[in-house]
Each structure stands twice: as structure tokens, then as C-alpha cells.
Amino acid sequence: MMKALVYGGPGAMEWTEVPLPELHDPRDAIVRVDAVTICGTDLHILKGDVPEVVNGRILGHEAVGTVLEVGAAVTGVAEGSRVLISCISGCGRCRFCRTGAYGQCLEGGGWVLGHLIDGT
Ligand SMILES: [Zn+2]
Ligand SMILES: [Zn+2]
């Protein structure tokens, strides 16, 4: 188990115990967070302005940490790599990522952490 800040609906959040993360996709990496912060977007989520964020979602989309485990398709980082976790993910290969428009990624990127999936 580990500690996480969990959204509980508008105006509600709880620092609570959650299960350790697991790899779900061969492109996933598990990162031990060394530092994380909050930003204006989190404040909007907490006010209920971002309805895609469901109750029970682990918040956070900006952090630095150390890679603990990577999926079989990960080539850019390995166990022990120090990484910056960007709020915007990108596949790096689709037509949008190739022009630096990661927010429009066609392969599952964009703003997903702490939004559509559990965050940092
Ligand atoms: Zn942010
Ligand atoms: Zn992409």
C-alpha cells in the first residue's frame, strides 16, 4: 500500500492508503515519486470544474521520480532512471506528437494522468 491524495467529489479530497500501482500496458512505467506538486488545474478539479475526474481518482499530474519497473515495450527509460512526469503524455510517433502537439496524441496520450486515469 502507499499514500495518495484521492478526489472525493467537489470540495472533497482525502490523503489515504491505496494499492501499489501495477503495469497495465507494455508501454507503462512505474515511478517512485520523489517530489510532486499541485497546480491550478488540481484546484479546478477540486471545485468540480472537471467532470471527467470521477470520485476515487488519485490526483496529481506533475512529479519527478525514479523508475522502478517498465513494460516490455518501453525503451527510453529503465529501472533506476530519474524522470520528470509531464502532465501531458505522448506516444512520440503519431502525426501530432511528431510536431510537438502531444496534447492531441492519437495513441492514448494527452492529459490523462490524474484526469482519465489515476495520477501521480
Ligand atoms: Zn498541472
Ligand atoms: Zn502521439
Side-chain angles (χ1 to χ4, degrees):
M1 300 292 278
M2 65 177 204
K3 289 283 190 185
L5 187 65
V6 176
Y7 179 67
M13 61 181 162
E14 186 178 12
W15 186 244
T16 188
E17 292 281 333
V18 298
L20 290 171
E22 297 177 350
L23 297 173
H24 293 288
D25 184 285
R27 300 170 298 172
D28 284 349
I30 295 175
V31 177
R32 183 192 69 228
V33 171
D34 297 324
V36 65
T37 189
I38 191 166
C39 86
T41 302
D42 296 304
L43 300 178
H44 281 292
I45 292 169
L46 289 170
K47 287 197 310 188
D49 294 342
V50 188
E52 311 85 67
V53 179
V54 297
N55 292 3
R57 176 69 69 227
I58 296 172
L59 296 173
H61 52 269
E62 291 153 359
V64 292
T66 306
V67 174
L68 297 180
E69 186 179 359
V70 296
V74 174
T75 57
V77 297
E79 182 183 349
S81 297
R82 299 290 316 281
V83 294
L84 183 154
I85 303 167
S86 170
C87 60
I88 304 295
S89 307
C91 72
R93 294 180 301 275
C94 75
R95 65 188 173 99
F96 290 110
C97 284
R98 288 197 312 269
T99 61
Y102 306 108
Q104 306 301 316
C105 177
L106 299 171
E107 300 294 329
W111 176 35
V112 295
L113 283 174
H115 181 211
L116 306 179
I117 64 173
D118 284 334
T120 58

